[in-house]
Amino acid sequence: MSRQAAITRFRVRNGQGSAGAPNILSVADVPQRPPLYVLVETGADDALAARIIFAIDETYRRARGSLTGALQQVVRAAGQVLRQSPGAQCGLTALIIQKDEALLAQVEPAACWILRDGHLMRWPLESVWLDGDTGGEVLRHMRGGLGESDPDLLRIGLYADDKLMLATATVARDVGELLIAEALSEADPGAALHRLAPDVDFTVLAIEPSGQPASRSAIPAANMQRARAVEPAPSDARTAAVPTPNRRTAREAVPAVEKSSAPREPRVPDPEPQARPSRVGLTLAVPHPPAEAKPPREFHLPDLRPYLEVVAISVLYLAKALAAFLRIGGAIAVRALPEHESTTPRVTPSVRRVEYNNNPLDSSFARLMAFGLPAVVIALGAVMWFRSNADNTRRYSDLVAQATSAYQTAMASEGNARRTGLEKAAALLNDAIKIQPSDSAVRDSRARDLQGQVGKELDVLNKATTFYLHPQLYTFDEPGSKPGAVVARGNELYVLDSGTHRLYKFLLNDARDQLQPTPTRSPSPVPSPNPVVMRQGDERGSIVVGALSDIFWGTAGGGRISTGLLTLTAQKQVIEYAPARGITVLSVAVAPGWQEATFGESFNGSLYVLDAKANRILKFAPTGEEYKTPPVDYLSPLQHVDFAGATGMAVDGFVWVALADGTIMKFDAGNLVAFDKRGLDTPLRKPVAIVAQANSPSLWVADAGNRRIVQFNKTGEYVRQYKPDDAQSMSDLRGLAIDEATRRLYWVSGTTLYLTPLQN
């Protein structure tokens, strides 16, 4: 089992602290994989950080093989995203915690600290990114950052009371290690750093592993020598009253980071280093090498010697057999081909030479090797295969028996005990199905039958509804299609394709279970309207339509009497479509500081636009049918929010914003209010759309990471989740629309538009 860890996140931007950041990732829910913690450093480019974090999350969940290989795949995935942003530079620290050790991968700028029994260690030991000003001679050897350098990999032993911290380079440069050690000794290191260094912007991810302490020999001596150390002061220094060090004093107290442009002399540790006390009772000194080398940790592998011997012998005999075959072929070729007639007369010797028979088949050993070796190899392979198959069969039966026992115990229990027992049975059955021998896959269905029963019981506990009717309404087969946002209104269905920048309109039949025929879906000669209503590059009125960003239903109110579908473009245009009036370009007032048209919504006639780059929500009041009045900022000036990674917005009187990390933000009159999601069995992972209607008590979220639609009430209580019987139909969930009046749910996955009736 992996070590469970308590983690805290903290970010300071422009002096304001917050508990979340788009450049931090913690993944602890990957089956049979230990937790992964990542911090990327992109400066102020939060959008790039969010893309890198998303790619790392996807890569680690799909990674196979060793943990070191998984770390290297994570770094490569991050580098590929970075290469799509020319000129950008990024550092990365990735940490995997398993049992009593940690695997660390770093591409500078990167920093990781461990506080252990009064000792503070940092990786990397020396860095031009972390140690402030350096001479030009050093800068010429500075590494190039993510995408240009291979990661530094390190294995670190862990103790029970260790505290780890991943941080941006500003912490090392502007805070100092005395204050870092003091912050790590507190319950919330990020908040403590902000208190000790209020004018420094940084991001930290603090981790406190728990579990049994590791053996002292688990830490290789080489690792200890590479790290910085903060050693405990003598007993009299611990009790002395010491003034609080400032950041400059803290930095100057570290001998290992003395700054000089001159070449460095070899460092010789003092026999008795002078300790310098700090507020947390710690002193800084260069660590002495251990007096006695301690044995490294032993990793016990299965005894492979018998198998390796068989392989070695087989390879030797195969080589000999191949040599024999070549000799035989050469001899046959020499005898079969006619001799070359020479024009030069031969000189016949007076004494005939004795000819020897060099036929390799005359050798009994060669015959034995040529014909017996393949049989021996085949026999050995068969024995090994049967042995492996027998082991898998026995292990499979044991796992099924354990799962059956866990299931029976769970069904005799109530409450959390039942849920725990069912989850244990499900995990055992997953392991059993993975190793089920191929010859028993058909005749032995115990694991899959029991898995179905366990799944049904878990669905009952989790209030999960599995639906079996989900017909495909339309497939967007144009090259580059990326359908996403969906709007349902009566028998009209609108879909925005952000890949081809087209707006589609479909009409449902009277039963609202299929689309009316269109030329692209039926060879019928009966004419039907083209489903494409508008596309980028169309000339509408006095404008050329820009790239389509979002679609939403325009409401009446505040002097506006018309309704229709509104389209928001990247060029900050608002275009209305109504079947009776066609397409109308609406005038929108100039908004100073408006950087990006990320999402749009309409409520009571007003237009709301979320600008993720500027962390703003603009509210345009209607002037007649248009929006000519300059907007106001919906958010209160006292609110400091971070919309990096926003994936959807809805307005029903409250304003709702979904973030890619699973956070749902709720605003009332411009103020952020608490929205605690309660009762959900598995946390949201990568929500891609959020739906809230004014006359409905429900809030709907399309959870792409878990392939489901989740229903909450508007106070945060979990109501129900909906999943298809075929998980592939939500494998690439992108858009969601709910028609609660007709109990219909529409969603887009990949390039396909689906429909399902909602069950009561």
Side-chain angles (χ1 to χ4, degrees), residues 653-716:
F654 300 110
V655 174
W656 307 84
V657 178
L659 304 182
D661 64 358
T663 301
I664 303 296
M665 307 176 76
K666 178 180 180 181
F667 297 92
D668 183 10
N671 295 302
L672 182 64
V673 296
F675 182 73
D676 297 326
K677 303 180 287 295
R678 302 180 298 277
L680 185 61
D681 60 316
T682 304
L684 299 176
R685 186 165 67 90
K686 290 188 294 189
V688 294
I690 185 169
V691 177
Q693 299 173 354
N695 299 322
S696 168
S698 297
L699 180 73
W700 305 82
V701 180
D703 185 6
N706 294 305
R707 303 184 182 186
R708 61 183 178 176
I709 307 298
V710 182
Q711 180 185 8
F712 299 94
N713 66 24
K714 292 181 180 177
T715 62

Side-chain angles (χ1 to χ4, degrees), residues 280-336:
V280 294
L282 304 173
T283 56
L284 294 178
V286 178
H288 292 290
E292 184 175 322
K294 298 182 179 180
R297 175 183 305 163
E298 297 181 0
F299 295 94
H300 298 283
L301 296 175
D303 189 2
L304 302 178
R305 285 176 296 177
Y307 301 101
L308 294 177
E309 291 176 0
V310 170
V311 172
I313 294 173
S314 301
V315 170
L316 178 61
Y317 283 141
L318 283 174
K320 290 184 177 181
L322 180 61
F325 281 127
L326 291 176
R327 291 172 58 194
I328 293 171
I332 293 175
V334 169
R335 295 191 177 188

Side-chain angles (χ1 to χ4, degrees), residues 57-69:
D57 186 17
E58 290 290 313
T59 301
Y60 188 65
R61 294 180 186 280
R62 296 194 305 264
R64 298 293 183 268
S66 67
L67 296 180
T68 303

Side-chain angles (χ1 to χ4, degrees), residues 590-654:
V590 175
W594 183 2
Q595 298 184 33
E596 179 182 79
T598 311
F599 296 106
E601 266 297 340
S602 174
F603 178 74
N604 197 24
S606 294
L607 172 66
Y608 294 79
V609 177
L610 187 147
D611 183 352
K613 280 190 176 180
N615 288 323
R616 300 172 67 190
I617 297 178
L618 304 174
K619 180 181 178 181
F620 295 82
T623 50
E625 300 302 314
E626 300 182 302
Y627 300 97
K628 298 180 180 180
T629 303
V632 297
D633 276 293
Y634 170 77
L635 298 179
S636 168
L638 300 177
Q639 299 296 317
H640 299 280
V641 297
D642 190 349
F643 288 142
T647 58
M649 179 175 70
V651 182
D652 63 350
F654 300 110

Side-chain angles (χ1 to χ4, degrees), residues 177-195:
E177 302 210 350
L178 284 176
L179 299 186
I180 293 171
E182 181 172 348
L184 270 174
S185 66
E186 298 191 18
D188 189 343
L193 277 178
H194 186 35
R195 187 183 71 252

Side-chain angles (χ1 to χ4, degrees), residues 137-156:
E137 185 66 24
V138 177
L139 286 174
R140 289 195 297 111
H141 300 284
M142 187 168 61
R143 304 185 64 177
L146 186 64
E148 301 179 15
S149 305
D150 293 329
D152 291 330
L153 299 175
L154 189 67
R155 187 184 301 270
I156 307 170

